[in-house]
């Protein structure tokens, strides 16, 4: 989502994988998203990722012609994962964007039988019961990474041990503190920080969502460039309004220093 992968050409996506591999610092894992509306393109991206030597691949479900049920979804995942058999494969579950509302628990249960390099699921949804069911099926065998930033504490309290989120790019210390406080049993502190996260996410959504997120990256000194149409980058006036709202929350002094 953050990298706008579905708005890039396959050639651009291959180039990005290659460049990230070149500059990757020691200890950081490189997971490349290879999801595509075309299964053939998705498989080609997976093959390329394996040649480049990344650590894992992930793929979001096709969202125009959607899998009709869990068997169709698993069959699609089998093909993508088999294109890079040496790499761990993560299914990226995000029904709010794909419209594919096949439960993550169902997927894990079926895919465990036919996707030998399955590593787990990135779970970006509000269905906590499905999340808990997926964790039960995953056991020690698979990762189930929590993907809703504004619900991280809920995820942690229901068994999450890892998370992936767009706003972690510029507020990682805040979320690490939520994780630390939750683990230490300091629930009031964890709730306070989670409420702060929800407040600044509300500001980001108010100012355009992803375009505002990229503007925040610029404001902290990491210019990731403009968004691509049909999204629209914020104007200078809009960026100033975004900054004013974030300043009123104390975002820049809190989120990066906790």
């Amino acid at each position: 989502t953050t990298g706008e992968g579905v708005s890039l050409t396959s050639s651009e996506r291959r180039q990005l994988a290659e460049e990230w591999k070149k500059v990757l610092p020691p200890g950081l894992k490189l997971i490349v998203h290879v999801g595509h509306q075309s299964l053939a393109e998705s498989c080609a991206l997976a093959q390329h990722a394996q040649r480049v030597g990344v650590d894992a691949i992930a793929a979001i479900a096709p969202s125009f012609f959607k899998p009709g049920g869990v068997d169709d979804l698993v069959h699609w995942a089998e093909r993508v994962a088999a294109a890079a058999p040496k790499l761990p494969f993560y299914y990226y579950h995000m029904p709010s964007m794909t419209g594919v509302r096949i439960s993550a628990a169902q997927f894990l249960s079926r895919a465990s039988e036919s996707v030998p390099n399955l590593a787990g699921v990135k779970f970006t949804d509000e269905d906590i019961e499905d999340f808990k069911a997926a964790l039960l099926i995953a056991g020690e065998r698979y990762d189930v990474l929590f993907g809703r930033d504004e619900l991280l504490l809920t995820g942690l309290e229901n068994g999450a041990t890892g998370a992936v989120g767009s706003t972690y790019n510029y507020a990682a210390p805040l979320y690490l503190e939520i994780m630390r406080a939750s683990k230490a049993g300091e629930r009031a502190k964890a709730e306070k920080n989670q409420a702060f996260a929800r407040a600044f996410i509300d500001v980001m959504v108010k100012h355009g969502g992803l375009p505002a997120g990229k503007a925040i990256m610029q404001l902290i000194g990491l210019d990731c460039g403009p968004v691509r149409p049909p999204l629209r980058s914020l104007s200078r006036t809009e960026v100033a309004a975004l900054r004013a709202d974030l300043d009123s929350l104390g975002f820049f002094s809190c989120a990066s220093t906790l």
Side-chain angles (χ1 to χ4, degrees):
T1 307
T2 314
E4 295 178 82
V6 294
S7 295
L8 305 180
T9 67
S10 294
S11 177
E12 288 172 323
R13 292 169 67 176
R14 286 191 290 269
Q15 183 181 357
L16 278 170
E18 292 167 8
E19 293 301 320
W20 268 109
K21 181 63 178 177
K22 289 177 186 176
V23 302
L24 197 70
L28 187 65
K29 300 293 186 181
L30 179 57
I31 303 175
V32 171
H33 178 253
V34 300
H36 201 286
Q37 296 300 314
S38 161
L39 176 59
E41 284 293 305
S42 191
C43 290
L45 288 168
Q47 290 167 350
H48 175 265
Q50 182 167 284
R51 286 198 302 272
V52 168
V54 309
D55 295 290
I57 56 172
I60 202 165
S63 58
F64 189 85
F65 294 115
K66 300 175 180 63
V70 66
D71 290 337
D72 294 338
L73 179 61
V74 169
H75 179 65
W76 162 85
E78 286 177 21
R79 298 279 297 276
V80 178
K86 296 179 181 179
L87 295 180
F89 171 81
Y90 286 88
Y91 168 55
Y92 184 177
H93 176 68
M94 195 178 188
S96 63
M97 296 297 283
T98 63
V100 177
R101 300 197 173 276
I102 299 161
S103 81
Q106 270 192 306
F107 173 82
L108 270 179
S109 180
R110 297 287 184 86
S112 64
E113 303 168 3
S114 55
V115 184
N117 52 333
L118 180 66
V121 172
K122 179 190 172 185
F123 186 96
T124 304
D125 194 22
E126 295 77 25
D127 188 343
I128 299 301
E129 292 306 312
D130 183 31
F131 176 69
K132 291 192 293 185
L135 283 174
L136 283 174
I137 292 167
E140 298 294 321
R141 186 176 178 186
Y142 301 119
D143 296 327
V144 183
L145 304 172
F146 197 73
R148 273 281 180 247
D149 306 17
E150 58 270 48
L151 293 176
L152 175 60
L153 181 57
T154 300
L156 294 170
E157 291 178 339
N158 283 281
T161 57
V164 182
S166 296
T167 63
Y168 302 168
N169 286 302
Y170 39 79
L174 172 66
Y175 293 102
L176 289 170
E177 178 57 21
I178 292 171
M179 296 177 80
R180 186 208 64 76
S182 177
K183 187 175 182 179
E186 300 172 8
R187 196 174 196 284
K189 190 168 188 178
E191 285 182 335
K192 180 180 178 181
N193 285 322
Q194 184 67 77
F196 181 75
R198 283 195 296 271
F200 88 73
I201 291 171
D202 285 345
V203 168
M204 184 186 73
V205 171
K206 169 187 170 184
H207 289 276
L210 180 57
K214 286 205 170 176
I216 295 172
M217 292 296 285
Q218 292 176 343
L219 291 172
I220 67 168
L222 292 171
D223 189 347
C224 295
V227 294
R228 289 195 169 179
L231 300 180
R232 179 183 61 81
S233 297
L234 272 59
S235 67
R236 288 186 179 182
T237 300
E238 289 167 330
V239 171
L242 168 65
R243 177 157 202 159
D245 281 351
L246 291 172
D247 280 336
S248 70
L249 290 176
F251 172 78
F252 294 103
S253 61
C254 292
S256 60
T257 58
L258 279 166

